[in-house]
Every structure is written in C-alpha cells, then in structure tokens.
Amino acid sequence: MSDHAANVIWLTVAAVNAIITGWKTRAFFREPTLTLALISASFLISVFVFLSISPWGSEIIGRALGKPSFATLPAFVGILACYAITHVLTMLWTPPPASRRRLLHRQVIAWTVAYTGASAAMTVLFLLADLNGRGNVIRFNVENASDPYIQGFLALFLGMLACGTLSTWWRARSTEISDERIQHVLRWFSASMLFVCGYVVFNIPAIISAASGDRSLDGFSYIGQSFGAFGALCTSYGMSGAATHAWFLERRDIRVLKPLWKLAYGDRNRGLAHTSVRFALHRRIIETLDGMRELSFFARAELAEEVKSLAGGDLPRSQVEAIATAVMLRDAAMRISDPDTVRLKRASALSASAVRFPGDHTAASEQRARLLDVARALRHPLTIEVTELITAEPKRLHDGPPAPR
C-alpha cells in the first residue's frame, strides 16, 4: 500500500472517529455515566492512534521529536488502551450475581493494573531501544524485530493484547443480556476480538522470522494488520452502532407517533408545534400521554365494548385494545371540539370524572410500544369503520352528560 493510499484510509477513519467522539462526548455531558465516559475516551484515543499510524502523522511526530519511529509508541499504547476500555466495558455490561460483585470489582482493578503496567513497561523498553529506521508504524514490527528491547516491547504488546481480547471474547460470547442493545454490542465485541487475535497470530511468525534475519514472512505481518484494522472497525461499530440503530428507531417512532400526538396534543397546542424539542421521542410520548389524559374527560367507555364486539375473537387482545383506544381518542377529539359538549361537561357534576383508556395500566417502560400500537391503529379498517359509524349518527357524537337540574 502506498503512503498516499495509507494516508487517505487512516486519516478518513480518524476523521470519522473524531465525529463520533464529539457525538459521544455531547451525550456524556447531557447524561454523565461511566459507560459514556469510557466510550468517549476510547474514541478520542483511537483518533490519535489512527493519526499516528498514518504516514503523514508518524512523519510529523518523528520530525518533532527527532526520532522517526517514535509514533509507534503512542500508537501501540493507544491500541492497548482502547482494547482495555473495551474489556472493562464488557465486564461492566456482564455483571455477575450480586453475591459476586466484589469479584467483578477485583477483576476490573486487576486488569486495569495489568494494562497500565504493560503500557509503562512498553514505554521503558521502547525508549531504551536504538531506533534509527524510517518511521513507518505499519512496518515497525518486522523492520525492528532484531532489537532485543523491541522484542520485549512487542512481546508485551502482543501478549497483553491476546490475553485481553480472548478474555473479552469469552465474556461477550458466553453471556446473555436481556437488554437488546447491549446484547447487540456484545455480539460485535465478540466478533471483533477474534479478528484482533488474528493480528497477533499472523504477526508472531513474521516477527520471529524477521528477528532471525529472514524477511520472507513479512507478508504475514501485513495480513495481520488487515485483521487488526477490520477488528478495530467492528469494535467501533459495536460501541456506536447500537446507539446509531437506536437513534434511527427513535426517528422512525417519532414519525409513527406523529398522527397520535397531533390528535391527542398538537391540535390544541399549535403554538408549540414547531419548537426545537419536538423531535425528542421522550418529549413526544409525554405530550401524547398528557393529551390523552385531557381527552379522557370526553371519552366514552362504551366505545371500547363496541370495538370488542365488532372485532370478535379474530384479533389479538393487544391490537383490540389499541384499536379501542384509537376509536375513543378520535371520538373524544371530536367531542372536545363541540362547544355544546364542552359546555355540558363543564356544567355537569360528572365533569371531574375521567374514562380510562384500554391499556392505561401499562408500565411506564412499555408506554412507547403501547403508543406506537395505538398510532398504527388510527389507520386500521376497524377504527375507521367505528369512527364513521359514530360520525354518521350525530346523536351519538353530540350526546353529552345530562344537563344538571
């Protein structure tokens, strides 16, 4: 690979990771958590790693410090730091039973000390080495394999990388998590660790051969670099892909909820319809529920029974409840727009009573799924049929509570 092609590839990856770093850092300041702090730190370190790996970056670092190969040190220590963070994240996301939490804390501390100690020892060995060759990080392993200090440096690096990635692979592979997003991350971590181990496996024979003066296996080292690069991409996707996927799901759910939000809330709060917070899913859910509570004073419980009787036993209970809620909301929205109904409601002694919509007992954590079902039910043929039936009978539409005597 030419230096120009290498610069294009590694600088592009560095730029992408810099964007992700900004995104994750912003998320951290919005909701500070240890997980987001570690992920942000990992992406930030990876930016410097890819800059150091690129011929352009390694040349600048080598020229600034008067040592052409010096860029290898921050690159390799940075790689180890990134996978140390991945390892720690995997341990935090796969906690043991409460009775063994102390063991988890000891494991995190032990691995952190091991990674830190290995990085410190690598730094000492690297600074003791006599490196006068061209500062190319990609070819460093085979070009400097004859130096005994670099042999120790590479042995520590590859040994720690192999132990850490295999431990991460085993933990990610052998643990089932109920949280689908974290399970998605662990699947990608598991796959990426095997590719990173491929980097170790292919580099060991190349380094041993180069140390003995035989450069015929140099190609193995470059194959290993490809495995390492692909593993790094998989790891990066694991850290950001689930969040990206969740972001797209939120955008989709916001679009699905829009008709329901408009019916329950937006039509009566037009002044708020274009504020910047309108695109936050949790805000839209809260506003929709608020609007439904307001409409519940004008809803009619008998419509739910009418939907059930028309549906028969052909539809699942959850769908029938969603359709009944959709019908009741459409009816309540029409009734709240009728001045006579509103006047009678206000004058009636029953005005303080609210009707419960089907599914009102749903837990807060499941309201998103429930409202999505109701939003989809707004276009269901049964919803349209019952709504048209109500509209066709003005008495059913306009009957309000009995006027007070």
Side-chain angles (χ1 to χ4, degrees):
M1 181 188 295
S2 67
D3 284 358
H4 176 71
N7 277 327
V8 171
I9 292 173
W10 298 122
L11 293 179
T12 300
V13 174
V16 171
N17 279 19
I19 294 172
I20 298 175
T21 301
W23 172 33
K24 292 295 183 181
T25 303
R26 182 183 177 188
F28 169 76
F29 283 116
R30 189 168 57 244
E31 185 183 353
T33 64
L34 177 59
T35 296
L36 283 174
L38 290 173
I39 292 176
S40 301
S42 179
F43 276 107
L44 180 61
I45 293 170
S46 73
V47 172
F48 290 103
V49 167
F50 289 120
L51 288 175
S52 301
I53 289 176
S54 69
W56 174 80
S58 60
E59 182 180 351
I60 289 178
I61 294 173
R63 188 183 303 164
L65 299 175
K67 203 167 187 177
S69 297
F70 194 87
T72 304
L73 178 60
F76 279 35
V77 171
I79 290 170
L80 204 58
C82 287
Y83 284 102
I85 291 174
T86 302
H87 193 177
V88 171
L89 281 172
T90 304
M91 288 190 284
L92 294 177
W93 283 333
T94 57
S99 59
R100 300 180 61 195
R101 290 294 168 85
R102 288 186 178 180
L103 175 61
L104 173 64
H105 295 159
R106 288 197 294 268
Q107 288 176 336
V108 171
I109 292 172
W111 278 107
T112 302
V113 170
Y115 282 116
T116 304
S119 299
M122 285 168 56
T123 302
V124 172
L125 290 169
F126 186 89
L127 295 176
L128 291 174
D130 183 18
L131 301 173
N132 297 312
R134 182 168 176 262
N136 192 308
V137 178
I138 302 298
R139 291 191 284 270
F140 178 87
N141 292 0
V142 292
E143 287 183 346
N144 299 278
S146 59
D147 188 292
Y149 291 112
I150 294 303
Q151 291 172 7
F153 171 86
L154 293 174
L156 270 174
F157 174 68
L158 295 176
M160 199 67 215
L161 193 63
C163 291
T165 53
L166 285 174
S167 178
T168 305
W169 167 77
W170 175 254
R171 195 170 192 116
R173 178 181 177 275
S174 60
T175 307
E176 291 292 332
I177 302 295
S178 58
D179 190 317
E180 185 178 345
R181 288 183 299 176
I182 293 181
Q183 190 63 51
H184 175 83
V185 174
L186 293 177
R187 282 196 295 267
W188 278 93
F189 278 6
S190 177
S192 66
M193 295 305 110
L194 292 180
F195 283 107
V196 177
C197 280
Y199 168 86
V200 176
V201 169
F202 278 96
N203 266 279
I204 288 175
I207 292 170
I208 294 174
S209 177
S212 65
D214 180 8
R215 301 291 296 274
S216 62
L217 296 183
D218 282 11
F220 277 39
S221 178
Y222 305 141
I223 294 173
Q225 305 285 351
S226 301
F227 273 87
F230 192 74
L233 289 175
C234 290
T235 305
S236 295
Y237 177 78
M239 287 188 178
S240 61
T244 304
H245 180 65
W247 185 87
F248 280 111
L249 286 180
E250 286 188 359
R251 304 280 80 70
R252 182 205 65 185
D253 289 352
I254 286 174
R255 290 193 298 272
V256 173
L257 284 173
K258 184 176 180 179
L260 179 61
W261 170 84
K262 190 171 183 293
L263 174 68
Y265 183 85
D267 283 345
R268 291 182 307 285
N269 297 274
R270 297 183 185 278
L272 302 176
H274 301 288
T275 61
S276 59
V277 297
R278 192 57 49 228
F279 298 99
L281 179 61
H282 71 277
R283 180 65 178 257
R284 179 152 288 184
I285 289 173
I286 291 171
E287 290 176 347
T288 302
L289 291 172
D290 285 344
M292 289 173 64
R293 278 189 287 272
E294 182 181 350
L295 289 175
S296 67
F297 291 96
F298 295 85
R300 294 186 289 180
E302 59 269 21
L303 294 181
E305 297 301 322
E306 187 166 352
V307 170
K308 290 179 183 178
S309 64
L310 290 173
D314 299 332
L315 298 175
R317 178 183 173 183
S318 59
Q319 189 173 11
V320 173
E321 287 187 350
I323 294 171
T325 303
V327 169
M328 292 171 67
L329 285 171
R330 283 188 180 278
D331 176 60
M334 289 187 290
R335 287 162 60 80
I336 201 173
S337 64
D338 180 64
D340 292 335
T341 303
V342 174
R343 177 179 56 78
L344 289 172
K345 268 287 185 182
R346 288 175 177 172
S348 173
L350 301 176
S351 61
S353 62
V355 172
R356 294 181 67 85
F357 292 106
D360 270 359
H361 59 280
T362 303
S365 60
E366 299 175 5
Q367 285 289 359
R368 174 177 174 179
R370 176 207 174 200
L371 293 182
L372 287 171
D373 287 342
V374 175
R376 295 186 182 101
L378 289 172
R379 300 186 297 273
H380 194 278
L382 185 55
T383 304
I384 296 172
E385 178 185 346
V386 178
T387 303
E388 288 176 348
L389 180 62
I390 298 169
T391 306
E393 300 182 27
K395 184 177 183 301
R396 296 178 64 179
L397 173 62
H398 294 291
D399 62 342
R405 295 180 179 178

